[in-house]
Amino acid sequence: MFFSVLTLFPELVTTMVRESITGRALEADLFAFRTHNIRDYAHNDYGKVDDTLYGGGRGMLMMCQPIFESWEAAKTDCDVESDSRLTVYLSPKGHVLNQALVEKLASYNHLILLCGHYEGVDQRVLDEMEVQEISIGDYVLTGGELAAGVLIDAVARQLPGVLPTPDAVRQESHFNCQLEYRQYTKPAVWKGREVPPVLLSGHHKNIDKWRQLDGIRETMLKRPDLFQSLKFDENIAKEFVKYCRDMELDS
Ligand SMILES: C[S@@+](CC[C@H](N)C(=O)[O-])C[C@H]1O[C@@H](n2cnc3c(N)ncnc32)[C@H](O)[C@@H]1O
């Protein structure tokens, strides 16, 4: 997987990607990453990349030509068939990023991410590059760099070897539309609050069952919209009802 980022603020994205798990994965060559400073592709002495809006109105808009040339250069970062490459414009108008979309993005070999700024980007270059617009939430950011960092982090976690254990992704929240079980660390009692006894039992089968049922309960309580779409067999349904009853008796 190669991420090419078209941006006016390369250091902002680089700082995010070079830290922590993604930073270690990058050093281990589990994915590749490169930024292209759009300003370097401006055809003027001042690195001007924006201009006023036709039709009037507030603010400035990023111009077509420097973005298009940075995109042409980014395409040479990674030699793949065109159907293995996707160009994404991080945009508040886009499809909101979720786990299903993250998994789909992880199936490409080359993602080119365009970060907008100011009032956004001239529509014609978006059309020419046939971008997919992706948003990280229904609010407006100052620029696309934070959104690109979020997207790269989420996608990189899906790539083989990036997380320390192979099935770590499958146990985390949002895998199969379910949330992760509650988690605890030492000490076993803190301010009179106890860790669920099963987690101290050393009985792995019971622990796995508790985690499965607790994940379903977390989903029901915190994301009823996801819970609605969960499908489980009759046995699990019965165990879950009993688990919830026991929890009520305990509290
Ligand atoms: C100030 S915003 C432009 C907003 C635009 N005028 C509008 O109202 O739709 C500047 C840039 O930030 C990025 N951006 C802002 N909000 C975002 C979001 N929720 N998700 C992804 N990118 C976002 C986009 O790249 C956008 O071009």
Side-chain angles (χ1 to χ4, degrees):
M1 165 70 82
F2 202 119
F3 296 97
S4 302
V5 183
L6 316 180
T7 169
L8 293 174
F9 298 93
E11 283 170 17
L12 201 50
V13 192
T14 305
T15 302
M16 285 185 275
V17 176
R18 290 208 177 278
E19 290 295 331
S20 188
I21 283 186
T22 47
R24 286 195 292 275
L26 201 54
E27 282 196 359
D29 285 332
L30 297 176
F31 70 89
F33 161 78
R34 184 177 171 190
T35 57
H36 292 261
N37 191 334
I38 296 168
R39 214 175 284 285
D40 292 343
Y41 297 86
H43 288 196
N44 55 69
D45 293 340
Y46 331 101
K48 184 176 162 62
V49 291
D50 58 326
D51 215 322
T52 52
L53 278 81
Y54 280 121
R58 68 199 146 74
M60 305 289 274
L61 203 63
M62 289 176 73
M63 297 187 290
C64 295
Q65 171 268 318
I67 290 177
F68 185 73
E69 286 185 26
S70 67
W71 178 67
E72 294 272 70
K75 282 197 284 184
T76 66
D77 285 346
C78 181
D79 186 17
V80 290
E81 299 289 322
S82 58
D83 58 356
S84 297
R85 175 184 293 125
L86 181 71
T87 302
V88 172
Y89 170 43
L90 282 315
S91 156
K93 297 182 190 173
H95 188 303
V96 178
L97 191 64
N98 61 15
Q99 181 63 19
L101 183 50
V102 165
E103 286 171 22
K104 186 159 179 267
L105 293 173
S107 70
Y108 287 90
N109 294 121
H110 189 195
L111 292 179
I112 302 180
L113 309 179
L114 169 62
C115 305
H117 230 79
Y118 315 117
E119 283 309 313
V121 173
D122 188 313
Q123 185 62 42
R124 291 168 296 180
V125 72
L126 300 177
D127 294 341
E128 182 69 24
M129 299 190 306
E130 298 182 345
V131 299
Q132 176 169 348
E133 294 193 39
I134 296 182
S135 164
I136 62 160
D138 291 340
Y139 40 77
V140 174
L141 301 164
T142 305
E145 287 74 15
L146 291 173
V150 167
L151 187 151
I152 292 171
D153 189 300
V155 172
R157 291 173 70 82
Q158 306 299 311
L159 305 178
V162 171
L163 293 185
T165 45
D167 62 347
V169 169
R170 304 170 65 86
Q171 292 172 1
E172 288 193 301
S173 293
H174 295 290
F175 185 81
N176 279 345
C177 297
Q178 192 173 314
L179 302 186
E180 190 178 51
Y181 43 84
R182 289 169 294 168
Q183 294 174 308
Y184 303 86
T185 185
K186 293 181 181 70
V189 182
W190 181 76
K191 290 187 184 288
R193 295 172 186 271
E194 293 178 11
V195 170
V198 63
L199 299 179
L200 307 175
S201 69
H203 192 303
H204 294 298
K205 214 169 154 203
N206 289 353
I207 292 172
D208 286 348
K209 178 57 67 183
W210 182 88
R211 285 178 166 168
Q212 182 187 18
L213 298 176
D214 198 65
I216 299 173
R217 182 175 175 273
E218 285 285 276
T219 313
M220 180 181 75
L221 295 177
K222 295 179 178 169
R223 288 293 301 272
D225 56 321
L226 295 180
F227 183 74
Q228 299 276 335
S229 61
L230 284 187
K231 290 187 177 68
F232 23 71
D233 66 31
E234 206 177 322
N235 277 347
I236 296 288
K238 279 184 189 156
E239 284 174 340
F240 180 61
V241 171
K242 181 174 178 317
Y243 174 78
C244 291
R245 285 214 184 104
D246 292 348
M247 293 282 296
E248 274 169 36
L249 290 177
D250 276 355
S251 54

